Amino acid sequence: MIAARGMRIAALGVAMFFAGCGDKSDGATGLPQAAEVRISAPASELFVGQTIQLTAVALDASGADLAAGDPIWSSSDANVARVTDTGLLTALSVGSVTLSAALGGKTARMTVAVEELPSYDVTVNVSSTFAPATISVRQYGTVRFVFAGTQQNVTFSTAFPGAPANIPNTSTGTINRQFTSIGDFRYESSITAGLAGFIKVR
């Protein structure tokens, strides 16, 4: 499952830029020719069913925006992810796909990975490790932290708004935390140096 990879989803609003070049225009449009094209996307890894808006801009040799018309979008596998003429991307099935935007005689490309939508109920086993260290859960879902005899705590980083309350020192039992906000949440143990995990809420 692709969840082990560091995901950044649309709800986070994290812009990512992918530059491309190489395709020469035939000059038929009469529009200025770009030195570079950049794709801007709020995510490069999505869940099945998610939709995000892509944009592409043409730049001149100095890096300034260039009025070169509308980009022509395409997907290397429309069964995995489909992109409309306006850059609206919909993730359809698990896999990886390359998206292209042709504009001003140049083409930019980016790769998008698609994984299954997570469940509402997931478990992290807490001992001398967090297992799994990276998990995904649906918005309003519950993460069950199961403590297995080793005293640990779970401290959520304040850098991630919407994180639930910390879990104080515990050695046995199950403590639940619900995640109501979409986002990525880092957590760690202040007992075991370097022990950390990551929860992706979608």
Tab-separated table of all heavy atoms in Angstrom, residues 79-146:
chain	number	residue	atom	x	y	z
A	79	ASN	N	-7.500	5.182	-16.511
A	79	ASN	CA	-8.143	4.256	-15.583
A	79	ASN	C	-7.684	4.493	-14.151
A	79	ASN	O	-8.380	4.138	-13.201
A	79	ASN	CB	-7.836	2.809	-15.980
A	79	ASN	CG	-8.481	2.421	-17.286
A	79	ASN	OD1	-9.634	2.751	-17.547
A	79	ASN	ND2	-7.740	1.716	-18.129
A	80	VAL	N	-6.500	5.071	-13.987
A	80	VAL	CA	-5.975	5.380	-12.652
A	80	VAL	C	-6.388	6.782	-12.230
A	80	VAL	O	-6.886	6.998	-11.118
A	80	VAL	CB	-4.444	5.241	-12.618
A	80	VAL	CG1	-3.877	5.722	-11.274
A	80	VAL	CG2	-4.047	3.795	-12.860
A	81	ALA	N	-6.179	7.758	-13.104
A	81	ALA	CA	-6.562	9.139	-12.808
A	81	ALA	C	-6.931	9.840	-14.105
A	81	ALA	O	-6.222	9.732	-15.107
A	81	ALA	CB	-5.422	9.873	-12.114
A	82	ARG	N	-8.036	10.548	-14.071
A	82	ARG	CA	-8.537	11.256	-15.251
A	82	ARG	C	-8.380	12.752	-15.033
A	82	ARG	O	-8.650	13.268	-13.939
A	82	ARG	CB	-9.999	10.912	-15.475
A	82	ARG	CG	-10.629	11.593	-16.681
A	82	ARG	CD	-12.080	11.177	-16.846
A	82	ARG	NE	-12.894	11.606	-15.715
A	82	ARG	CZ	-13.571	10.778	-14.924
A	82	ARG	NH1	-13.524	9.482	-15.122
A	82	ARG	NH2	-14.296	11.251	-13.931
A	83	VAL	N	-7.948	13.464	-16.062
A	83	VAL	CA	-7.815	14.911	-15.976
A	83	VAL	C	-8.628	15.539	-17.104
A	83	VAL	O	-8.584	15.092	-18.247
A	83	VAL	CB	-6.332	15.345	-16.041
A	83	VAL	CG1	-5.676	14.916	-17.344
A	83	VAL	CG2	-6.197	16.833	-15.800
A	84	THR	N	-9.396	16.558	-16.758
A	84	THR	CA	-10.240	17.226	-17.740
A	84	THR	C	-9.447	18.289	-18.492
A	84	THR	O	-8.296	18.589	-18.167
A	84	THR	CB	-11.447	17.885	-17.058
A	84	THR	OG1	-10.978	18.978	-16.241
A	84	THR	CG2	-12.203	16.884	-16.195
A	85	ASP	N	-10.097	18.910	-19.478
A	85	ASP	CA	-9.466	19.974	-20.256
A	85	ASP	C	-9.110	21.177	-19.388
A	85	ASP	O	-8.232	21.969	-19.744
A	85	ASP	CB	-10.398	20.433	-21.376
A	85	ASP	CG	-10.579	19.367	-22.451
A	85	ASP	OD1	-9.746	18.433	-22.505
A	85	ASP	OD2	-11.550	19.466	-23.234
A	86	THR	N	-9.792	21.313	-18.250
A	86	THR	CA	-9.535	22.452	-17.356
A	86	THR	C	-8.567	22.089	-16.228
A	86	THR	O	-8.326	22.913	-15.337
A	86	THR	CB	-10.849	22.959	-16.753
A	86	THR	OG1	-11.485	21.899	-16.020
A	86	THR	CG2	-11.798	23.450	-17.840
A	87	GLY	N	-8.030	20.875	-16.231
A	87	GLY	CA	-7.050	20.486	-15.217
A	87	GLY	C	-7.641	19.894	-13.958
A	87	GLY	O	-6.938	19.731	-12.956
A	88	LEU	N	-8.912	19.517	-13.983
A	88	LEU	CA	-9.521	18.889	-12.817
A	88	LEU	C	-9.158	17.405	-12.806
A	88	LEU	O	-9.501	16.669	-13.730
A	88	LEU	CB	-11.036	19.060	-12.845
A	88	LEU	CG	-11.784	18.577	-11.592
A	88	LEU	CD1	-11.410	19.425	-10.381
A	88	LEU	CD2	-13.302	18.622	-11.826
A	89	LEU	N	-8.464	16.984	-11.764
A	89	LEU	CA	-7.950	15.624	-11.678
A	89	LEU	C	-8.792	14.798	-10.721
A	89	LEU	O	-9.054	15.211	-9.595
A	89	LEU	CB	-6.498	15.637	-11.198
A	89	LEU	CG	-5.851	14.281	-10.939
A	89	LEU	CD1	-5.663	13.523	-12.241
A	89	LEU	CD2	-4.521	14.454	-10.216
A	90	THR	N	-9.208	13.603	-11.176
A	90	THR	CA	-9.967	12.683	-10.336
A	90	THR	C	-9.224	11.360	-10.250
A	90	THR	O	-8.877	10.768	-11.268
A	90	THR	CB	-11.371	12.437	-10.907
A	90	THR	OG1	-12.065	13.684	-11.001
A	90	THR	CG2	-12.168	11.495	-10.003
A	91	ALA	N	-8.968	10.912	-9.013
A	91	ALA	CA	-8.305	9.628	-8.786
A	91	ALA	C	-9.343	8.522	-8.849
A	91	ALA	O	-10.347	8.560	-8.142
A	91	ALA	CB	-7.612	9.630	-7.427
A	92	LEU	N	-9.106	7.517	-9.684
A	92	LEU	CA	-10.117	6.502	-9.955
A	92	LEU	C	-9.761	5.112	-9.422
A	92	LEU	O	-10.636	4.368	-9.009
A	92	LEU	CB	-10.375	6.411	-11.462
A	92	LEU	CG	-10.889	7.689	-12.123
A	92	LEU	CD1	-10.982	7.488	-13.629
A	92	LEU	CD2	-12.240	8.084	-11.540
A	93	SER	N	-8.490	4.741	-9.461
A	93	SER	CA	-8.103	3.410	-9.010
A	93	SER	C	-6.661	3.434	-8.531
A	93	SER	O	-5.900	4.351	-8.845
A	93	SER	CB	-8.274	2.379	-10.130
A	93	SER	OG	-7.414	2.669	-11.225
A	94	VAL	N	-6.282	2.402	-7.777
A	94	VAL	CA	-4.943	2.344	-7.207
A	94	VAL	C	-3.899	2.203	-8.310
A	94	VAL	O	-4.052	1.407	-9.236
A	94	VAL	CB	-4.833	1.166	-6.220
A	94	VAL	CG1	-3.401	0.997	-5.721
A	94	VAL	CG2	-5.784	1.376	-5.054
A	95	GLY	N	-2.847	2.997	-8.219
A	95	GLY	CA	-1.784	2.919	-9.203
A	95	GLY	C	-1.011	4.214	-9.281
A	95	GLY	O	-1.124	5.088	-8.409
A	96	SER	N	-0.231	4.353	-10.323
A	96	SER	CA	0.576	5.549	-10.542
A	96	SER	C	0.342	6.037	-11.968
A	96	SER	O	0.182	5.236	-12.888
A	96	SER	CB	2.054	5.236	-10.323
A	96	SER	OG	2.853	6.375	-10.537
A	97	VAL	N	0.327	7.344	-12.136
A	97	VAL	CA	0.006	7.908	-13.435
A	97	VAL	C	0.851	9.158	-13.666
A	97	VAL	O	1.196	9.872	-12.715
A	97	VAL	CB	-1.502	8.233	-13.529
A	97	VAL	CG1	-1.884	9.309	-12.543
A	97	VAL	CG2	-1.901	8.631	-14.931
A	98	THR	N	1.196	9.409	-14.924
A	98	THR	CA	1.921	10.627	-15.285
A	98	THR	C	0.967	11.596	-15.961
A	98	THR	O	0.287	11.234	-16.927
A	98	THR	CB	3.091	10.317	-16.239
A	98	THR	OG1	4.014	9.448	-15.578
A	98	THR	CG2	3.816	11.590	-16.625
A	99	LEU	N	0.916	12.810	-15.447
A	99	LEU	CA	0.067	13.848	-16.008
A	99	LEU	C	0.940	14.831	-16.782
A	99	LEU	O	2.048	15.152	-16.356
A	99	LEU	CB	-0.682	14.577	-14.903
A	99	LEU	CG	-1.508	13.676	-13.978
A	99	LEU	CD1	-2.086	14.493	-12.840
A	99	LEU	CD2	-2.612	12.985	-14.756
A	100	SER	N	0.422	15.308	-17.897
A	100	SER	CA	1.175	16.229	-18.742
A	100	SER	C	0.348	17.469	-19.032
A	100	SER	O	-0.874	17.402	-19.191
A	100	SER	CB	1.554	15.555	-20.070
A	100	SER	OG	2.342	14.404	-19.851
A	101	ALA	N	1.045	18.594	-19.096
A	101	ALA	CA	0.418	19.854	-19.490
A	101	ALA	C	1.266	20.472	-20.596
A	101	ALA	O	2.432	20.828	-20.369
A	101	ALA	CB	0.312	20.795	-18.298
A	102	ALA	N	0.709	20.555	-21.794
A	102	ALA	CA	1.405	21.147	-22.940
A	102	ALA	C	0.940	22.586	-23.102
A	102	ALA	O	-0.255	22.872	-23.157
A	102	ALA	CB	1.115	20.352	-24.202
A	103	LEU	N	1.911	23.497	-23.171
A	103	LEU	CA	1.571	24.915	-23.210
A	103	LEU	C	2.742	25.692	-23.800
A	103	LEU	O	3.889	25.504	-23.391
A	103	LEU	CB	1.270	25.414	-21.792
A	103	LEU	CG	0.883	26.876	-21.605
A	103	LEU	CD1	-0.409	27.202	-22.345
A	103	LEU	CD2	0.725	27.183	-20.114
A	104	GLY	N	2.459	26.536	-24.756
A	104	GLY	CA	3.485	27.403	-25.306
A	104	GLY	C	4.658	26.671	-25.920
A	104	GLY	O	5.789	27.149	-25.900
A	105	GLY	N	4.417	25.486	-26.471
A	105	GLY	CA	5.475	24.742	-27.111
A	105	GLY	C	6.320	23.900	-26.179
A	105	GLY	O	7.282	23.266	-26.604
A	106	LYS	N	5.988	23.885	-24.889
A	106	LYS	CA	6.707	23.073	-23.905
A	106	LYS	C	5.710	22.171	-23.183
A	106	LYS	O	4.500	22.424	-23.205
A	106	LYS	CB	7.425	23.947	-22.875
A	106	LYS	CG	8.407	24.934	-23.465
A	106	LYS	CD	9.601	24.246	-24.084
A	106	LYS	CE	10.615	25.257	-24.589
A	106	LYS	NZ	11.774	24.636	-25.240
A	107	THR	N	6.232	21.123	-22.547
A	107	THR	CA	5.377	20.197	-21.798
A	107	THR	C	5.976	19.944	-20.423
A	107	THR	O	7.163	19.645	-20.300
A	107	THR	CB	5.235	18.858	-22.535
A	107	THR	OG1	4.623	19.084	-23.801
A	107	THR	CG2	4.356	17.892	-21.737
A	108	ALA	N	5.149	20.084	-19.398
A	108	ALA	CA	5.539	19.744	-18.030
A	108	ALA	C	4.838	18.456	-17.639
A	108	ALA	O	3.717	18.179	-18.091
A	108	ALA	CB	5.177	20.867	-17.066
A	109	ARG	N	5.498	17.663	-16.807
A	109	ARG	CA	4.927	16.387	-16.370
A	109	ARG	C	5.070	16.222	-14.869
A	109	ARG	O	6.034	16.713	-14.281
A	109	ARG	CB	5.612	15.215	-17.100
A	109	ARG	CG	5.405	15.231	-18.602
A	109	ARG	CD	6.168	14.119	-19.302
A	109	ARG	NE	5.909	14.124	-20.742
A	109	ARG	CZ	6.569	14.861	-21.608
A	109	ARG	NH1	7.571	15.642	-21.190
A	109	ARG	NH2	6.265	14.839	-22.899
A	110	MET	N	4.129	15.534	-14.286
A	110	MET	CA	4.211	15.177	-12.880
A	110	MET	C	3.625	13.789	-12.692
A	110	MET	O	2.767	13.351	-13.462
A	110	MET	CB	3.482	16.180	-11.997
A	110	MET	CG	1.963	16.219	-12.177
A	110	MET	SD	1.142	17.303	-10.978
A	110	MET	CE	1.341	16.350	-9.471
A	111	THR	N	4.091	13.104	-11.672
A	111	THR	CA	3.597	11.772	-11.364
A	111	THR	C	2.688	11.833	-10.150
A	111	THR	O	3.009	12.492	-9.150
A	111	THR	CB	4.766	10.806	-11.086
A	111	THR	OG1	5.587	10.724	-12.246
A	111	THR	CG2	4.251	9.410	-10.743
A	112	VAL	N	1.562	11.164	-10.244
A	112	VAL	CA	0.604	11.094	-9.144
A	112	VAL	C	0.405	9.636	-8.767
A	112	VAL	O	0.228	8.772	-9.638
A	112	VAL	CB	-0.748	11.730	-9.541
A	112	VAL	CG1	-1.816	11.431	-8.507
A	112	VAL	CG2	-0.584	13.233	-9.701
A	113	ALA	N	0.451	9.355	-7.471
A	113	ALA	CA	0.186	8.016	-6.947
A	113	ALA	C	-1.201	7.997	-6.302
A	113	ALA	O	-1.585	8.950	-5.627
A	113	ALA	CB	1.244	7.626	-5.929
A	114	VAL	N	-1.939	6.921	-6.539
A	114	VAL	CA	-3.295	6.784	-6.010
A	114	VAL	C	-3.366	5.523	-5.148
A	114	VAL	O	-2.902	4.460	-5.555
A	114	VAL	CB	-4.344	6.691	-7.143
A	114	VAL	CG1	-5.749	6.558	-6.566
A	114	VAL	CG2	-4.245	7.910	-8.055
A	115	GLU	N	-3.947	5.650	-3.956
A	115	GLU	CA	-4.107	4.506	-3.074
A	115	GLU	C	-5.546	4.395	-2.582
A	115	GLU	O	-6.356	5.311	-2.777
A	115	GLU	CB	-3.151	4.593	-1.889
A	115	GLU	CG	-3.462	5.704	-0.926
A	115	GLU	CD	-2.637	5.595	0.335
A	115	GLU	OE1	-2.884	4.681	1.138
A	115	GLU	OE2	-1.747	6.426	0.523
A	116	GLU	N	-5.859	3.284	-1.967
A	116	GLU	CA	-7.212	3.061	-1.462
A	116	GLU	C	-7.554	4.059	-0.354
A	116	GLU	O	-6.692	4.456	0.433
A	116	GLU	CB	-7.350	1.642	-0.896
A	116	GLU	CG	-7.290	0.553	-1.943
A	116	GLU	CD	-8.563	0.447	-2.780
A	116	GLU	OE1	-9.488	1.242	-2.556
A	116	GLU	OE2	-8.615	-0.419	-3.656
A	117	LEU	N	-8.808	4.448	-0.291
A	117	LEU	CA	-9.290	5.307	0.778
A	117	LEU	C	-9.197	4.554	2.095
A	117	LEU	O	-9.579	3.389	2.174
A	117	LEU	CB	-10.742	5.705	0.504
A	117	LEU	CG	-11.300	6.894	1.292
A	117	LEU	CD1	-10.551	8.168	0.922
A	117	LEU	CD2	-12.778	7.057	1.016
A	118	PRO	N	-8.651	5.179	3.147
A	118	PRO	CA	-8.467	4.455	4.415
A	118	PRO	C	-9.778	4.200	5.143
A	118	PRO	O	-10.826	4.754	4.796
A	118	PRO	CB	-7.565	5.404	5.219
A	118	PRO	CG	-7.870	6.759	4.662
A	118	PRO	CD	-8.140	6.550	3.209
A	119	SER	N	-9.688	3.390	6.199
A	119	SER	CA	-10.874	3.034	6.981
A	119	SER	C	-11.108	4.074	8.082
A	119	SER	O	-10.305	4.990	8.288
A	119	SER	CB	-10.699	1.655	7.615
A	119	SER	OG	-9.718	1.709	8.639
A	120	TYR	N	-12.206	3.901	8.819
A	120	TYR	CA	-12.534	4.779	9.929
A	120	TYR	C	-11.938	4.298	11.248
A	120	TYR	O	-12.051	4.986	12.259
A	120	TYR	CB	-14.060	4.880	10.092
A	120	TYR	CG	-14.723	5.796	9.094
A	120	TYR	CD1	-15.439	5.283	8.028
A	120	TYR	CD2	-14.639	7.176	9.220
A	120	TYR	CE1	-16.064	6.120	7.112
A	120	TYR	CE2	-15.253	8.021	8.311
A	120	TYR	CZ	-15.967	7.491	7.262
A	120	TYR	OH	-16.582	8.320	6.354
A	121	ASP	N	-11.327	3.139	11.251
A	121	ASP	CA	-10.850	2.551	12.497
A	121	ASP	C	-9.514	1.864	12.245
A	121	ASP	O	-9.451	0.864	11.532
A	121	ASP	CB	-11.882	1.543	13.007
A	121	ASP	CG	-11.604	1.083	14.426
A	121	ASP	OD1	-10.485	1.295	14.917
A	121	ASP	OD2	-12.511	0.502	15.046
A	122	VAL	N	-8.446	2.428	12.799
A	122	VAL	CA	-7.120	1.847	12.609
A	122	VAL	C	-6.424	1.712	13.955
A	122	VAL	O	-6.801	2.357	14.944
A	122	VAL	CB	-6.255	2.691	11.648
A	122	VAL	CG1	-6.872	2.738	10.262
A	122	VAL	CG2	-6.053	4.091	12.200
A	123	THR	N	-5.396	0.882	14.002
A	123	THR	CA	-4.712	0.581	15.254
A	123	THR	C	-3.219	0.821	15.130
A	123	THR	O	-2.605	0.469	14.126
A	123	THR	CB	-4.949	-0.887	15.662
A	123	THR	OG1	-6.346	-1.084	15.893
A	123	THR	CG2	-4.176	-1.247	16.929
A	124	VAL	N	-2.654	1.436	16.172
A	124	VAL	CA	-1.204	1.570	16.308
A	124	VAL	C	-0.792	0.795	17.552
A	124	VAL	O	-1.308	1.036	18.645
A	124	VAL	CB	-0.774	3.038	16.447
A	124	VAL	CG1	0.723	3.130	16.716
A	124	VAL	CG2	-1.129	3.823	15.200
A	125	ASN	N	0.099	-0.172	17.391
A	125	ASN	CA	0.612	-0.926	18.526
A	125	ASN	C	1.811	-0.191	19.110
A	125	ASN	O	2.764	0.136	18.396
A	125	ASN	CB	1.007	-2.337	18.078
A	125	ASN	CG	-0.201	-3.139	17.638
A	125	ASN	OD1	-1.125	-3.381	18.400
A	125	ASN	ND2	-0.212	-3.547	16.380
A	126	VAL	N	1.734	0.066	20.413
A	126	VAL	CA	2.757	0.864	21.086
A	126	VAL	C	3.553	-0.023	22.031
A	126	VAL	O	3.006	-0.597	22.984
A	126	VAL	CB	2.121	2.024	21.870
A	126	VAL	CG1	3.203	2.877	22.529
A	126	VAL	CG2	1.243	2.873	20.960
A	127	SER	N	4.844	-0.130	21.767
A	127	SER	CA	5.755	-0.837	22.673
A	127	SER	C	7.055	-0.036	22.671
A	127	SER	O	7.026	1.146	23.004
A	127	SER	CB	5.960	-2.282	22.212
A	127	SER	OG	6.452	-2.326	20.881
A	128	SER	N	8.137	-0.639	22.281
A	128	SER	CA	9.367	0.131	22.095
A	128	SER	C	9.359	0.812	20.732
A	128	SER	O	10.267	1.567	20.399
A	128	SER	CB	10.591	-0.779	22.211
A	128	SER	OG	10.526	-1.814	21.245
A	129	THR	N	8.318	0.554	19.937
A	129	THR	CA	8.121	1.162	18.626
A	129	THR	C	6.664	1.558	18.469
A	129	THR	O	5.804	1.165	19.263
A	129	THR	CB	8.494	0.194	17.487
A	129	THR	OG1	7.619	-0.948	17.546
A	129	THR	CG2	9.939	-0.264	17.611
A	130	PHE	N	6.368	2.320	17.428
A	130	PHE	CA	5.009	2.561	16.974
A	130	PHE	C	4.817	1.722	15.719
A	130	PHE	O	5.559	1.880	14.748
A	130	PHE	CB	4.772	4.034	16.637
A	130	PHE	CG	4.832	4.963	17.819
A	130	PHE	CD1	5.519	6.166	17.728
A	130	PHE	CD2	4.209	4.645	19.007
A	130	PHE	CE1	5.573	7.040	18.809
A	130	PHE	CE2	4.252	5.507	20.098
A	130	PHE	CZ	4.942	6.711	19.993
A	131	ALA	N	3.850	0.822	15.732
A	131	ALA	CA	3.674	-0.073	14.588
A	131	ALA	C	2.199	-0.135	14.171
A	131	ALA	O	1.353	-0.542	14.956
A	131	ALA	CB	4.179	-1.475	14.925
A	132	PRO	N	1.902	0.271	12.919
A	132	PRO	CA	2.828	0.877	11.951
A	132	PRO	C	3.138	2.327	12.323
A	132	PRO	O	2.332	2.980	12.983
A	132	PRO	CB	2.076	0.787	10.632
A	132	PRO	CG	0.635	0.825	11.034
A	132	PRO	CD	0.560	0.100	12.351
A	133	ALA	N	4.289	2.805	11.887
A	133	ALA	CA	4.697	4.163	12.223
A	133	ALA	C	3.922	5.197	11.412
A	133	ALA	O	3.698	6.313	11.870
A	133	ALA	CB	6.191	4.331	11.994
A	134	THR	N	3.502	4.830	10.213
A	134	THR	CA	2.727	5.726	9.359
A	134	THR	C	1.415	5.049	8.995
A	134	THR	O	1.414	3.922	8.497
A	134	THR	CB	3.490	6.071	8.072
A	134	THR	OG1	4.712	6.725	8.424
A	134	THR	CG2	2.671	6.990	7.187
A	135	ILE	N	0.308	5.713	9.280
A	135	ILE	CA	-1.009	5.132	8.997
A	135	ILE	C	-1.910	6.196	8.386
A	135	ILE	O	-1.638	7.391	8.475
A	135	ILE	CB	-1.672	4.571	10.268
A	135	ILE	CG1	-1.865	5.685	11.307
A	135	ILE	CG2	-0.889	3.415	10.847
A	135	ILE	CD1	-2.709	5.267	12.486
A	136	SER	N	-2.993	5.735	7.781
A	136	SER	CA	-4.011	6.628	7.225
A	136	SER	C	-5.354	6.281	7.840
A	136	SER	O	-5.650	5.116	8.104
A	136	SER	CB	-4.088	6.472	5.701
A	136	SER	OG	-2.862	6.802	5.097
A	137	VAL	N	-6.172	7.293	8.055
A	137	VAL	CA	-7.503	7.093	8.626
A	137	VAL	C	-8.448	8.118	8.005
A	137	VAL	O	-8.043	9.208	7.614
A	137	VAL	CB	-7.463	7.236	10.166
A	137	VAL	CG1	-7.101	8.661	10.581
A	137	VAL	CG2	-8.780	6.796	10.799
A	138	ARG	N	-9.712	7.752	7.901
A	138	ARG	CA	-10.720	8.672	7.375
A	138	ARG	C	-10.991	9.796	8.368
A	138	ARG	O	-10.853	9.633	9.582
A	138	ARG	CB	-12.024	7.916	7.099
A	138	ARG	CG	-11.927	6.886	5.995
A	138	ARG	CD	-11.980	7.502	4.608
A	138	ARG	NE	-13.269	8.058	4.298
A	138	ARG	CZ	-14.289	7.346	3.803
A	138	ARG	NH1	-14.149	6.051	3.568
A	138	ARG	NH2	-15.430	7.923	3.528
A	139	GLN	N	-11.387	10.946	7.853
A	139	GLN	CA	-11.811	12.036	8.724
A	139	GLN	C	-12.962	11.571	9.618
A	139	GLN	O	-13.865	10.865	9.168
A	139	GLN	CB	-12.259	13.234	7.890
A	139	GLN	CG	-12.594	14.467	8.719
A	139	GLN	CD	-13.108	15.617	7.874
A	139	GLN	OE1	-13.524	15.431	6.720
A	139	GLN	NE2	-13.090	16.805	8.429
A	140	TYR	N	-12.911	11.929	10.881
A	140	TYR	CA	-13.832	11.513	11.946
A	140	TYR	C	-13.610	10.058	12.357
A	140	TYR	O	-14.390	9.504	13.116
A	140	TYR	CB	-15.306	11.744	11.563
A	140	TYR	CG	-15.610	13.185	11.249
A	140	TYR	CD1	-15.869	13.588	9.941
A	140	TYR	CD2	-15.620	14.155	12.250
A	140	TYR	CE1	-16.120	14.922	9.636
A	140	TYR	CE2	-15.870	15.486	11.957
A	140	TYR	CZ	-16.124	15.864	10.650
A	140	TYR	OH	-16.373	17.179	10.365
A	141	GLY	N	-12.540	9.473	11.867
A	141	GLY	CA	-12.204	8.115	12.262
A	141	GLY	C	-11.440	8.089	13.578
A	141	GLY	O	-11.072	9.122	14.148
A	142	THR	N	-11.191	6.871	14.056
A	142	THR	CA	-10.542	6.663	15.347
A	142	THR	C	-9.248	5.883	15.182
A	142	THR	O	-9.202	4.894	14.448
A	142	THR	CB	-11.471	5.880	16.304
A	142	THR	OG1	-12.644	6.673	16.555
A	142	THR	CG2	-10.776	5.586	17.627
A	143	VAL	N	-8.207	6.365	15.847
A	143	VAL	CA	-6.950	5.622	15.937
A	143	VAL	C	-6.864	5.035	17.332
A	143	VAL	O	-6.978	5.757	18.325
A	143	VAL	CB	-5.735	6.522	15.651
A	143	VAL	CG1	-4.440	5.731	15.825
A	143	VAL	CG2	-5.815	7.096	14.243
A	144	ARG	N	-6.693	3.717	17.392
A	144	ARG	CA	-6.591	3.016	18.669
A	144	ARG	C	-5.121	2.761	18.985
A	144	ARG	O	-4.455	2.043	18.249
A	144	ARG	CB	-7.365	1.696	18.612
A	144	ARG	CG	-8.819	1.866	18.185
A	144	ARG	CD	-9.581	0.544	18.197
A	144	ARG	NE	-10.915	0.735	17.672
A	144	ARG	CZ	-11.936	1.218	18.381
A	144	ARG	NH1	-11.755	1.537	19.644
A	144	ARG	NH2	-13.128	1.366	17.837
A	145	PHE	N	-4.644	3.357	20.042
A	145	PHE	CA	-3.275	3.152	20.480
A	145	PHE	C	-3.272	2.037	21.523
A	145	PHE	O	-3.792	2.213	22.629
A	145	PHE	CB	-2.693	4.436	21.058
A	145	PHE	CG	-2.512	5.530	20.040
A	145	PHE	CD1	-3.536	6.432	19.787
A	145	PHE	CD2	-1.327	5.642	19.331
A	145	PHE	CE1	-3.376	7.448	18.850
A	145	PHE	CE2	-1.156	6.653	18.385
A	145	PHE	CZ	-2.179	7.558	18.139
A	146	VAL	N	-2.735	0.884	21.141
A	146	VAL	CA	-2.737	-0.294	22.003
A	146	VAL	C	-1.356	-0.423	22.647
A	146	VAL	O	-0.357	-0.678	21.971
A	146	VAL	CB	-3.083	-1.566	21.206
A	146	VAL	CG1	-3.070	-2.783	22.121
A	146	VAL	CG2	-4.439	-1.408	20.529
